[in-house]
Structure formats: structure tokens, C-alpha cells
Amino acid sequence: MKIGKQVFVLNASVGYSPIIMRSTTTAQKNRFGNLAYLVNAIVHLFRLRFHGFEITIDGKVHTGRAFECVVFNAGALARTLYPKGPDVAVDDGHIDIWMLSIQKGFDYFRYLFYALVGRPGKLLPPMLSAERIVSIKSRTSMLVQVDGT
């Protein structure tokens, strides 16, 4: 994936996870490991806001309101956020795009629980696939998180 002039190979996200990544300190990670991310996810869960996204995938426009939009090119994070979802691999020739757009607040708690046990099933919107180009636009300025330089 190329974002601006820099190339990334794993994932990019806008919305909720960049807030979690930014708020999780090195001291928290050293002390609690990955649990530090979960704690920060729960803390920021109460501040979630929907954002309007316009996602163009290989020329086709998709619009929606979501907490998070993620572009995956590797399976570890995709399997964490979307257990039992489609296989996502660096060498499969495409990237996968997902908008976390759960509508009811309680469903988000259900999603977190079911994701932790590996069964979020019906709660999740489908992943989209891109062969060439993905563009994500939002009317509001948002943090972006990228991994795998």
C-alpha cells in the first residue's frame, strides 16, 4: 500500500483505533502488554462518534457512517478485529477494507465480547476487496494509524 509517498505493508486505519494507539503509552504497554490497548479501547468506547466516510474502491464509491475504517493487507489485525472473517494475506494480490458501523451502542459491547471469544458473526458488516486503488474521505479531520513500514 502506498499512502502519500510512503509504502506500508500491513494496515491503515482512521477513526477509533488511531485514538486507542495514540492514548496507549509505552509505560502502559510495558506494564500490561496488549491488555493496555483493551483498557484504552474501553475508556474511549464512551466517546465514540460516527463519522461519514466516502470510500472509493477501484472506482466504485461506497458511503456510510462508521466509528472506524480499516484497510488490511495482513491477517493478524484483521483476525483480531474480524474473527472468522475472510482470509487476509500480504501476497493475495488485493487489500481488504472494512467499516466498523455497528448502529446500536449495546451491539458494540457485544461485538467486543464476541470478538474476544472469536465469534462476532452477524454483528459485522462485510469486508470489501480492492485490486488497485482505495480512497477514503471524511468531512472531518481524523487521526490515521499505519503499521508495517
Side-chain angles (χ1 to χ4, degrees), residues 4 33 43 53 61 66 71 78 95-96 100 105 137 142 146:
V43 166
F53 288 104
V61 177
V71 178
I95 56 177
D96 298 275
L100 179 53
K137 295 179 183 177
M142 300 171 69
V146 293

Side-chain angles (χ1 to χ4, degrees), residues 16 38-48 67 81 100-120 123-124:
Y16 185 46
L38 179 61
V39 169
N40 277 308
I42 292 168
V43 166
H44 290 283
L45 184 64
F46 299 102
R47 299 180 194 149
L48 279 179
F67 298 115
L81 295 175
L100 179 53
S101 57
I102 295 170
Q103 300 300 315
K104 299 176 187 171
F106 183 73
D107 284 345
Y108 198 80
F109 288 104
R110 287 178 46 211
Y111 159 71
L112 284 177
F113 173 75
Y114 286 124
L116 288 172
V117 298
R119 298 182 6 203
L123 292 174
L124 300 176

Side-chain angles (χ1 to χ4, degrees), residues 3-111:
I3 301 171
K5 294 185 180 194
Q6 194 163 359
V7 176
F8 300 88
V9 295
L10 298 179
N11 68 71
S13 59
V14 61
Y16 185 46
S17 63
I19 293 168
I20 296 165
M21 300 301 274
R22 178 185 243 186
S23 67
T24 305
T25 66
T26 301
Q28 290 171 327
K29 290 184 279 190
N30 289 341
R31 185 168 183 186
F32 302 109
N34 286 336
L35 185 60
Y37 293 108
L38 179 61
V39 169
N40 277 308
I42 292 168
V43 166
H44 290 283
L45 184 64
F46 299 102
R47 299 180 194 149
L48 279 179
R49 288 185 172 73
F50 278 104
H51 298 277
F53 288 104
E54 178 182 287
I55 303 171
T56 305
I57 300 172
D58 296 332
K60 184 176 179 186
V61 177
H62 303 263
T63 59
R65 295 182 54 74
F67 298 115
E68 171 96 339
C69 186
V70 186
V71 178
F72 296 109
N73 196 35
L77 181 61
R79 278 188 299 280
T80 299
L81 295 175
Y82 203 128
K84 306 211 183 225
D87 288 334
V88 177
V90 172
D91 60 354
D92 65 4
H94 64 269
I95 56 177
D96 298 275
I97 303 95
W98 181 51
M99 287 185 7
L100 179 53
S101 57
I102 295 170
Q103 300 300 315
K104 299 176 187 171
F106 183 73
D107 284 345
Y108 198 80
F109 288 104
R110 287 178 46 211
Y111 159 71

